[in-house]
Amino acid sequence: MNYRYTRRYAGQLQAVIFDWAGTVVDFGSFAPTQVLLDAFGGFGVDIDMAEARVPMGLAKWDHIRALGDMPQIAARWHAKYGRGMSNGDVDAVYEAFMPLQVARVGQYSQLIPGALDAIAALRAQGIKIGSCSGYPRVVMDALLPIALDRGYAPDCTIATDDLAAGGRPGPWMALENVIRLGISDVAACVKVDDTVPGIAEGLAAGMWTVGLSASGNEVGLSYEEWAALSPPEQAARRAPAEAKLDAAGAHFVIDSIADLPAVIAEIDARLARGERP
């Protein structure tokens, strides 16, 4: 007997699952990057901001491991210690990184302009708000009350070490949001992120994906620095970020969360036509 499942979800969106730094808070994604510079510096190995941004979106242990594997950083580590960076060294840098990140995450985590209005517009449509992060639970436990005090309280938050399966670029954190929020179909979800691993996470979970160029890791400027640029200067900084997120497979790429409501309307229209992510 042959059986073919043909039902297509054609309802409205039910959930938007947001990343944190560079997406809803921390325009330019400085909290993780600046602390990584300081953590490596504590071991006598300097890295720069551009290097720290390359593996952004991964769980922080994996992020440190990826930095240690970059040829130029590996060479500096070898010059300092006479050997490559071992997993034990990664553990040591991670252990130095964590208390710094917990202590300073609030310093960098102001809400991105337009975030509260965009989220309010989603809630007015009955859309649930999920979230997940490359931050571990101990950092999220420090960040959540700060975000609440600033007006942001997602319905679900999954940290990168909450699940045995792991974090990005796998689909597990996004899918855990689906479970906890009680969403009936992954096609009714949108994953919003400023990094390539975050877009990969949403695609692996079968969701619509929206990449954020200007507010995130790829442009890497503060809001004040971004706003001070002329339109041609903004276009020049935006273009490579858009290209990278587009190449990662994002269904849409926009500047920031402030531009999201129009995209949500377009996705709803595409779902009504029977389209899937």
Side-chain angles (χ1 to χ4, degrees):
M1 177 179 173
N2 293 325
Y3 176 76
R4 187 172 176 222
Y5 182 69
T6 58
R7 184 184 74 85
R8 286 181 176 272
Y9 180 78
Q12 292 184 317
L13 287 171
Q14 299 177 34
V16 176
I17 301 166
F18 290 103
D19 176 47
W20 281 79
T23 298
V24 179
V25 300
D26 189 6
F27 197 107
S29 197
F30 285 94
T33 47
Q34 185 59 57
V35 176
L36 281 165
L37 266 63
D38 296 341
F40 270 86
F43 287 80
V45 175
D46 292 332
I47 65 173
D48 63 34
M49 185 66 78
E51 291 167 336
R53 291 187 180 281
V54 171
M56 189 64 72
L58 298 177
K60 292 302 170 257
W61 191 98
D62 296 332
H63 191 148
I64 294 166
R65 174 70 276 172
L67 289 172
D69 290 338
M70 290 169 63
Q72 68 274 30
I73 297 175
R76 288 174 221 149
W77 192 276
H78 194 278
K80 177 70 176 179
Y81 295 104
R83 54 178 171 76
M85 190 177 190
S86 68
N87 283 349
D89 295 326
V90 176
D91 289 339
V93 174
Y94 182 80
E95 289 171 6
F97 167 84
M98 286 310 305
L100 293 174
Q101 187 71 94
V102 170
R104 292 163 58 184
V105 68
Q107 174 184 341
Y108 296 98
S109 293
Q110 295 295 330
L111 288 167
I112 287 172
L116 290 183
D117 287 343
I119 291 166
L122 298 179
R123 290 198 183 280
Q125 298 173 58
I127 294 173
K128 296 179 181 178
I129 306 300
S131 71
C132 52
S133 177
Y135 286 140
R137 174 53 59 182
V138 66
V139 177
M140 289 311 308
D141 284 346
L143 178 54
L144 281 166
I146 295 170
L148 176 62
D149 188 58
R150 294 170 181 170
Y152 177 50
D155 301 315
C156 178
T157 299
I158 307 299
T160 195
D161 57 349
D162 283 346
L163 306 175
R168 299 167 185 154
W172 306 290
M173 291 194 295
L175 292 176
E176 185 67 13
N177 272 271
V178 171
I179 293 168
R180 296 194 187 186
L181 294 173
I183 306 305
S184 65
D185 194 306
V186 292
C189 297
V190 182
K191 176 69 203 306
V192 182
D193 206 293
D194 65 302
T195 68
V196 168
I199 296 301
E201 172 189 28
L203 294 173
M207 300 176 178
W208 301 93
T209 57
V210 178
L212 304 180
S213 57
S215 70
N217 180 66
E218 295 302 329
V219 167
L221 297 178
S222 70
Y223 178 72
E224 291 74 20
E225 290 169 332
W226 172 255
L229 297 178
S230 68
E233 289 170 331
Q234 288 184 345
R237 295 297 294 261
R238 180 191 293 114
E242 286 183 337
K244 190 169 184 178
L245 292 164
D246 184 66
H251 295 95
F252 301 87
V253 180
I254 56 179
D255 275 3
S256 79
I257 188 175
D259 305 311
L260 186 61
V263 173
I264 296 303
E266 172 62 18
I267 294 174
D268 269 333
R270 291 174 65 173
L271 283 169
R273 294 194 296 265
E275 297 182 37
R276 292 184 68 86

